[in-house]
Each structure stands twice: as C-alpha cells, then as structure tokens.
Amino acid sequence: MILKRNYSKKLFISSLLILFSTLLFCATAKYQDENFSLIVNYTETVTPGDAIFVRLNIQPTGELKKHKSEIATNSLLQLIKDKKEIDKSSFYSISKSKKSNNIEVLAGIPLSSWLKNANYSIKVTFNLSNNKFKEFELPLTFTEKTFFEETIELDEKNTEIKTDNSPKRAAQIDKLNSILFTVMPSDVYSLGKMTVPTDSTRYTSYFGDRRTYAYTNGKSSTSIHHGNDYGVPTGTPINSCAAGRVVMAEDRISTGYSVVIEHLPGLYSLYYHLSELLVKEGDMIKQGELIGKSGATGLATGPHLHWEMRLNGASVRPEFFLSNFTFEQE
C-alpha cells in the first residue's frame, strides 16, 4: 500500500515529494529534492519492550557529493511522546563501500516495557552540509503488550546471592553496566537477522515477566526479567545469536559463568548461568558459533540458559532481533 501524505509543516522543504508505505510493522518513506534523495526504513510500531530502528539511505547529488562525511556526522534519532522527547540515539555508518555515492546510517532506541498508549513519533535530524541541519518527523502506532507475573521461592543459597551487598558483587554490576552503556560507532559486526542460541523451544520464563522473589527470611523484592530462560539440561551447547566480539567471559556472583557479545554499536547479547566458557574476551565470533554450555551457576533454581539482549543499556525482547530489524536486503 502506497499513500501520499502532506508533511509540509514538519519537513525541511515544503515541496518535498513524500511516499509512505507500511508492511507489517515496518514502514518506508521517500524524500527527494534537487540536492539529494532519501529512503527511510523504520520500525513503525511502538511495542513495549521492543525497539525502534531507523535506517537512512541518502544519495547526495551535485555539490553535496563533496560533503558525504558531513551528512553522516551528527545525525540524530529522537523518540517523541506527546510532542516531548523521551529518548534519543545517534546514527552510525553502515555503508559497505567507500566508493559508493550512497550514505547508509542506522540507529536504534529501546522501548521500555512500561510504555503506555500515547501519541508517538520519531524525529530524524541530519547534517546536510556545513552544519546546515535538516529534520523530519514520522508517525508511529502503539500496540498493547501484557506481561506475565510470577513469584519465585528462593532457597537459602539463592537468597544469599540475591541479597548479596558485597563490594565484589557491586563491582561486577558496575563493570557490566559500563560495558552495556558503551556505544562504539565503528563496531558494526552484524546486520542480518539473529538466530536463537539453542535448539530448545522449552521456555521457563519470558522477557518482561514481573517477578517477586520470596526470600527464606520472609522478606521479598520485585524486579523485571530482562531476557528469556530456556529449560535445557546442563551441558547443552549454546551458540552466538549473531557475529560479534566477546566483551565479557567470566564468572559472576549473580549470573554465574557469563558471556557478553557486542554486535552493533550499543547492541549486546548476554548468556548466563553457563557450566562452561568456550570463548574469551576479545574473541571474534561468527553467528551460530559455540560459545559455552548451559548450566545452573549463579542465581538459578535449576539448569537453564538465560538469553538477554541489551540496546543502549536497556533490555529488549530477544525475539525482536530474530526479524530483519536493520532492514538489510536479503
């Protein structure tokens, strides 16, 4: 379906030609003037716990060909709720060839699992040349999402782990957060669909579950489950969901033997409670490569794999990345 829409009040040139098409949860917008043509592919649906990705394909013409680097610099994606910015992320280059005139950039914003229905949109700003910024805004559609609630009874061992306030555990948490909030614009390792890290389809917990932990001392705490749990026997092979670089492979108090892999700037996959680590920090990993074996190390009530995805530090539903979330041509 292709529609013509009038965005003259929001776009940088009122005479700009706009074509807008939507297929499933993705949308495409096209803009053109005498200086450049632009194709925008983006996630059109706001689903709590998922993410919004936007890919720009810019083809400068005439004098603008001399300003390719400026166009790709300082480009910004903003998530707007009721006319107010609630999050933002910088674009990074994914251009495959320096010889091509086209400029391709990508950006992603995680969506909180607590988001409520409202008027959402995305705003894109990019540097045309000589610090002359252009911007446009595109609409989004909100989709409701319900998350499961559960209470988990912890034994004495797991109660001690969950309530551990030691400097060692605090240092481990700080180290992990430092990694997950790191965005390296040059670290583009994988643009394709991701794959699940195990063949098992037996889920024991899902992303976004609202959890209450009941301690042996009668107290409790609440939290959100940041990934998917697969109920697999100890020793089950665990594979990387996509190509990337190992940025952590170590034993942690809460998550046991753990692996963290960077795939795109600000995008990481995490694998917890392993019984064996088969990679080390700095290793370059291919999609589907064996990285460890499942177990029950750390805070675990039984053997399983915890698979988690983080974007700009925030957790995102892992299944989101099993789709063509970067709009890569297949």
Side-chain angles (χ1 to χ4, degrees):
M1 179 176 64
I2 297 179
L3 304 174
K4 289 185 178 180
R5 295 189 177 184
N6 181 10
Y7 291 109
S8 60
K9 293 182 181 180
K10 294 181 179 179
L11 294 173
F12 38 86
I13 299 176
S14 60
S15 61
L16 218 51
L17 172 65
I18 302 163
L19 294 176
F20 179 91
S21 64
T22 302
L23 179 62
L24 297 178
F25 301 115
C26 303
T28 299
K30 299 180 180 180
Y31 310 95
Q32 186 172 354
D33 76 350
E34 68 275 10
N35 294 311
F36 65 92
S37 61
L38 169 66
I39 299 176
V40 185
N41 290 297
Y42 69 102
T43 313
E44 193 270 339
T45 303
V46 174
T47 303
D50 281 13
I52 295 289
F53 271 82
V54 178
R55 181 168 179 159
L56 306 181
N57 186 319
I58 307 168
Q59 184 172 9
T61 57
E63 288 297 312
L64 283 186
K65 289 183 180 180
K66 303 176 182 179
H67 301 281
K68 286 180 58 178
S69 61
E70 294 180 40
I71 294 175
T73 302
N74 299 325
S75 299
L76 184 68
L77 171 65
Q78 295 168 280
L79 179 62
I80 308 297
K81 176 184 177 183
D82 295 330
K83 300 183 179 180
K84 294 182 180 180
E85 177 194 290
I86 60 172
D87 205 348
K88 62 183 178 181
S89 181
S90 296
F91 283 91
Y92 49 86
S93 175
I94 56 171
S95 297
K96 297 180 178 64
S97 173
K98 294 182 178 179
K99 296 181 180 180
S100 173
N101 286 329
N102 286 19
I103 302 160
E104 287 197 278
V105 293
L106 183 72
I109 291 178
L111 300 174
S112 168
S113 63
W114 297 103
L115 282 183
K116 302 299 181 183
N117 195 3
N119 182 24
Y120 294 97
S121 63
I122 52 170
K123 183 178 181 181
V124 175
T125 305
F126 65 94
N127 190 353
L128 186 58
S129 67
N130 299 321
N131 291 322
K132 295 180 181 179
F133 289 92
K134 304 299 179 181
E135 64 181 37
F136 59 91
E137 198 166 332
L138 291 168
L140 299 174
T141 302
F142 181 83
T143 300
E144 294 283 354
K145 178 79 172 181
T146 301
F147 296 97
F148 181 70
E149 297 183 5
E150 63 176 343
T151 298
I152 299 178
E153 302 282 344
L154 299 182
D155 59 17
E156 185 173 347
K157 168 184 170 290
N158 285 321
T159 295
E160 289 180 359
I161 293 175
K162 187 64 178 174
T163 58
D164 185 341
N165 295 317
S166 67
K168 180 179 179 180
R169 183 168 182 251
Q172 290 179 349
I173 293 172
D174 288 344
K175 178 181 178 179
L176 180 59
N177 285 337
S178 178
I179 291 172
L180 298 180
F181 282 92
T182 296
V183 179
M184 299 295 292
S186 61
D187 291 354
V188 178
Y189 301 118
S190 175
L191 291 170
K193 294 179 182 178
M194 296 189 177
T195 53
V196 292
T198 174
D199 293 333
S200 174
T201 58
R202 179 175 174 258
Y203 290 85
T204 54
S205 291
Y206 293 90
F207 167 84
D209 287 353
R210 275 49 173 163
R211 285 182 163 182
T212 297
Y213 289 99
Y215 304 146
T216 54
N217 59 10
K219 297 182 180 180
S220 64
S221 66
T222 59
S223 68
I224 292 178
H225 192 232
H226 293 292
N228 288 334
D229 286 348
Y230 295 87
V232 292
T234 296
T236 300
I238 304 303
N239 307 310
S240 176
C241 64
R245 180 171 64 93
V246 178
V247 292
M248 176 182 284
E250 63 184 46
D251 187 15
R252 305 177 71 246
I253 294 173
S254 296
T255 59
Y257 287 119
S258 306
V259 174
V260 180
I261 302 175
E262 179 190 29
H263 304 288
L264 287 171
L267 181 61
Y268 300 86
S269 61
L270 301 84
Y271 312 80
Y272 288 165
H273 310 297
L274 305 177
S275 60
E276 291 184 57
L277 297 176
L278 299 178
V279 293
K280 64 183 182 303
E281 183 178 335
D283 285 351
M284 300 303 299
I285 303 299
K286 297 178 181 179
Q287 185 173 38
E289 186 171 342
L290 182 66
I291 60 173
K293 295 184 179 180
S294 65
T297 56
L299 199 164
T301 57
H304 72 287
L305 167 70
H306 173 94
W307 177 40
E308 186 173 320
M309 296 297 303
R310 294 276 183 148
L311 174 62
N312 300 341
S315 58
V316 175
R317 183 175 64 94
E319 289 88 349
F320 173 84
F321 299 98
L322 303 180
S323 65
N324 187 16
F325 68 98
T326 66
F327 315 103
E328 185 78 347
Q329 292 186 353
E330 300 178 336

